[in-house]
Amino acid sequence: HRPANSRILAAGLFGVVTLASFNDAFSQGGKSQAMNPALARTLIEARKALGDGLPQVAAVKASRLLTAQGLSEKEKAEIASVAVEAWIRARDGAKAQELMAQHEVEDEAFWAAHVLVLEGDLNAATTAFGKHASMGDKADDAHLALAYVLMADGREGTARTELKEVRTSKDPVI
């Protein structure tokens, strides 16, 4: 059963996470160092579409890139991560899950927790974000996402505790 406020939660949650992810993507120049220039351009376009609020466009571009020949495993993981985030932001958890099953994805547990939000399973999402909040590159993002899930589930006090965790974040986006 999907809570009535899960759609509102998803909209707010993905807006916050998107800004942080978009910032991460472009802090490294927005492309893999060794990637074919034409493919790198398409990846940059996909990330730009994601930042411009066009997740379906980003998802299609990044998903198509995964079929390119000659990609390294690191490049595939980078592209798959963009595609997964885009499908999640486009509210298509099934396509995100499909990609995670087929490809290595950076911060997979973090994105899998977002799929749980899309499915309306706030209890499982709370557990998943809670585990991810203690480790990984997206720990601050996970604390913030967990706070959103807790607020949507009516647990404002616990949500405030999670927000205290990100108050001193070094990430300027958060």
Side-chain angles (χ1 to χ4, degrees), residues 44-173:
I44 289 169
E45 290 170 4
R47 285 184 166 140
K48 183 173 181 337
L50 197 56
D52 289 345
L54 302 168
Q56 294 88 350
V57 172
V60 169
K61 284 182 178 286
S63 295
R64 285 183 184 158
L65 272 177
L66 287 169
T67 64
Q69 299 296 313
L71 293 172
S72 71
E73 290 304 311
K74 183 177 181 195
E75 290 167 338
K76 284 181 188 176
E78 180 182 356
I79 295 165
S81 297
V82 172
V84 165
E85 179 181 357
W87 284 121
I88 288 170
R89 290 196 45 232
R91 315 268 191 300
D92 194 333
K95 286 188 180 171
Q97 280 183 316
E98 183 181 318
L99 280 174
M100 287 189 285
Q102 295 172 354
H103 300 281
E104 174 100 10
V105 174
E106 298 167 356
D107 298 308
E108 183 173 340
F110 179 75
W111 298 118
H114 283 280
V115 171
L116 293 169
V117 171
L118 287 173
E119 293 172 345
D121 191 346
L122 299 185
N123 287 331
T126 300
T127 301
F129 281 126
K131 287 179 183 175
H132 199 73
S134 64
M135 61 186 173
D137 293 338
K138 292 200 172 292
D140 288 342
D141 294 319
H143 280 293
L144 192 55
L146 180 54
Y148 270 96
V149 172
L150 291 166
M151 283 189 286
D153 203 29
R155 297 185 272 172
E156 289 85 7
T158 309
R160 280 190 208 95
T161 302
E162 289 302 319
L163 289 174
K164 287 179 185 176
E165 292 292 329
V166 297
R167 208 172 11 184
T168 58
S169 174
K170 291 179 177 47
D171 185 342
V173 175

